[in-house]
Amino acid sequence: MTANTSQLSESVNIFENKHPSGANQPFKRKRSILGLLPLFKALEEQGRSPQSILAARGLSLDNLTGAAMIDTNLELDIVGDAIELLNDPILGVKVGRQVSFPSYGTYAMLLMTADTFLESARVGAQFQHLSLLFSHMTLHFDSQGLEVRYTVPHAPRKLRDFIADRDLMGTYIFMREFLAEAPHVLVGGTVRSKPERHHIATYKKYLNFDVSFDQPYNWFRIPASMLRLSQQHSNVWAHKLYKAQAYELLNTFYPAQQDVVPQVKTLIAGYQSGYPSASELANIIGVSERTLRRKLDAAGASYRNIIDAQQQKRALDMLSAQRLPIAAIASQLGYAEPASFLRAFKRWTGLTPKRFLQQQNTP
């Protein structure tokens, strides 16, 4: 299925833009058609037919199956058509609340069978391309707990607000399944601009915290006390089987192609540390480890160097933007001790972190 991009050209290739930290936004070349079901249900609740919107794009529900895949830009065109049709500033909230836990399929079962919420978060970031998100998820740890961030792609304002609201609400519903005994521990914010006062009541209706608006990204915070708790449905053998199934599904989203370097960079962007091995990444892309290394070598790259460049970029971002202590940065990047991080930093920049910041602050 290919995208018809003539009717909503602003949405085309928004996933190739840059997010605030400068890394390429990961994108999905195709997604399951099932991701549109929450939008269809919201349309029907407002007396509109999903069929008419699909027909305008040359599609019909009668000719689609649950296994059908849809180009991401075509999906966004359909979303844009719905936004223009309904002219509802909080359509994303109404669509997001339609998202059900079972609609995530293998992704949901993979996270549910993990041992702890922390492990669920980690595999959630690793396999996020199987989720219904348009945003890009990353994990950020500190002494207080975990902040899960969702970078919303650059897009026209109405579409951006829709994505921010839909992903915020959908993620909240998803997280409640894991924190069923303590949903009140969640707090969060969204990148969208603050809506008019009468619309804020809708957020309060479905969320048990006051949303912070106008944030640089969507986010949720989970306290450290919740991260190591055992999950009710954890099952080590089921988890292994669902992970194998998740790898197979990722091959659908990332078929083998010549330009493997952007694929590798895209996939590792969701990791803060603990990167997958070359063999694991090859499984995700759908090639053998030998083929992966051969393609990287032909492109003048190596997996080790790509990981190193990602580590360098994250280190510079954290040092410049967050002013974290060196020990905290080293820990978040997976270094066993600060001395190892300092050696790597000097190799990257030729400077110590202190000297690097001094040069940055020099007019």
Side-chain angles (χ1 to χ4, degrees):
M1 195 176 296
T2 57
N4 177 353
T5 59
S6 60
Q7 299 181 47
L8 190 63
S9 59
E10 286 182 296
S11 73
V12 175
N13 292 331
I14 65 171
F15 286 86
E16 294 180 0
N17 291 333
K18 307 287 185 180
H19 65 63
S21 65
N24 286 329
Q25 269 287 6
F27 60 96
K28 303 171 188 174
R29 298 185 181 279
K30 50 189 175 179
R31 292 153 51 103
S32 170
I33 191 70
L34 298 177
L36 282 170
L37 291 182
L39 175 65
F40 294 164
K41 189 170 183 180
L43 282 166
E44 289 178 335
E45 286 185 350
Q46 299 196 38
R48 301 289 186 169
S49 170
Q51 190 67 275
S52 62
I53 290 183
L54 289 174
R57 296 288 173 179
L59 302 174
S60 171
L61 284 175
D62 296 332
N63 299 328
L64 297 173
T65 70
M69 307 298 290
I70 187 169
D71 182 274
T72 300
N73 291 319
L74 177 55
E75 182 178 2
L76 289 170
D77 284 344
I78 293 169
V79 169
D81 291 344
I83 291 172
E84 294 304 317
L85 176 66
L86 297 177
N87 194 29
D88 184 347
I90 55 171
L91 177 62
V93 175
K94 297 173 182 177
V95 172
R97 74 179 180 85
Q98 303 288 353
V99 174
S100 63
F101 189 76
S103 66
Y104 282 86
T106 295
Y107 185 74
M109 298 309 298
L110 175 66
L111 272 61
M112 179 178 286
T113 54
D115 185 42
T116 63
F117 183 87
L118 177 60
E119 181 59 22
S120 288
R122 285 175 170 159
V123 295
Q126 179 181 358
F127 292 95
Q128 62 185 287
H129 302 285
L130 300 180
S131 75
L132 302 180
L133 292 171
F134 285 117
S135 308
H136 175 53
M137 174 171 55
T138 54
L139 309 179
H140 302 265
F141 299 88
D142 59 30
S143 60
Q144 302 301 311
L146 168 64
E147 183 170 283
V148 187
R149 298 177 184 173
Y150 301 86
T151 302
V152 178
H154 294 292
R157 184 183 60 80
K158 287 184 179 180
L159 180 58
R160 183 174 170 85
D161 283 352
F162 173 90
I163 292 173
D165 281 343
R166 173 191 176 278
D167 286 1
L168 179 81
M169 189 63 63
T171 301
Y172 174 74
I173 291 172
F174 197 77
M175 285 191 174
R176 278 192 323 193
E177 295 289 334
F178 298 94
L179 301 172
E181 296 180 2
H184 59 277
V185 303
L186 283 174
V187 292
T190 175
V191 72
R192 75 154 292 160
S193 54
K194 189 172 184 178
E196 295 181 16
R197 180 173 297 180
H198 64 281
H199 287 312
I200 294 180
T202 303
Y203 290 87
K204 292 182 178 294
K205 180 179 179 180
Y206 299 112
L207 301 171
N208 62 2
F209 59 87
D210 291 329
V211 179
S212 299
F213 296 98
D214 298 298
Q215 303 293 294
Y217 38 74
N218 283 13
W219 57 271
F220 287 96
R221 284 201 64 87
I222 298 94
S225 60
M226 304 296 297
L227 297 182
R228 299 288 182 182
L229 294 180
S230 296
Q231 296 199 131
Q232 181 179 358
H233 300 288
S234 64
N235 184 311
V236 62
W237 295 111
H239 188 66
K240 286 183 178 180
L241 291 174
Y242 282 121
K243 181 173 285 190
Q245 191 175 81
Y247 278 127
E248 292 175 1
L249 288 172
L250 277 181
N251 292 339
T252 303
F253 293 120
Y254 286 91
Q257 55 179 306
Q258 294 300 315
D259 198 2
V260 72
V261 175
Q263 286 184 289
V264 173
K265 289 181 177 179
T266 293
L267 289 168
I268 68 169
Y271 291 82
Q272 180 166 309
S273 60
Y275 297 101
S277 67
S279 176
E280 290 171 333
L281 199 87
N283 283 334
I284 295 175
I285 294 176
V287 298
S288 67
E289 180 182 352
R290 182 177 179 181
T291 298
L292 173 64
R293 293 190 182 278
R294 177 175 54 78
K295 288 187 174 185
L296 289 174
D297 184 63
S302 72
Y303 188 53
R304 181 187 295 274
N305 288 343
I306 292 175
I307 294 290
D308 192 60
Q310 171 73 1
Q311 289 282 76
Q312 177 183 352
K313 183 195 171 303
R314 284 191 50 76
L316 295 179
D317 284 349
M318 286 191 286
L319 188 67
S320 301
Q322 302 180 33
R323 306 294 184 181
L324 292 175
I326 296 301
I329 295 176
S331 176
Q332 289 194 30
L333 292 177
Y335 287 93
E337 54 187 20
S340 299
F341 168 70
L342 289 173
R343 286 193 295 270
F345 193 91
K346 194 160 186 179
R347 173 169 54 82
W348 294 328
T349 66
L351 302 168
T352 64
K354 182 177 180 180
R355 183 58 181 158
F356 175 81
L357 287 176
Q358 288 173 343
Q359 284 196 2
Q360 272 205 325
N361 296 329
T362 301

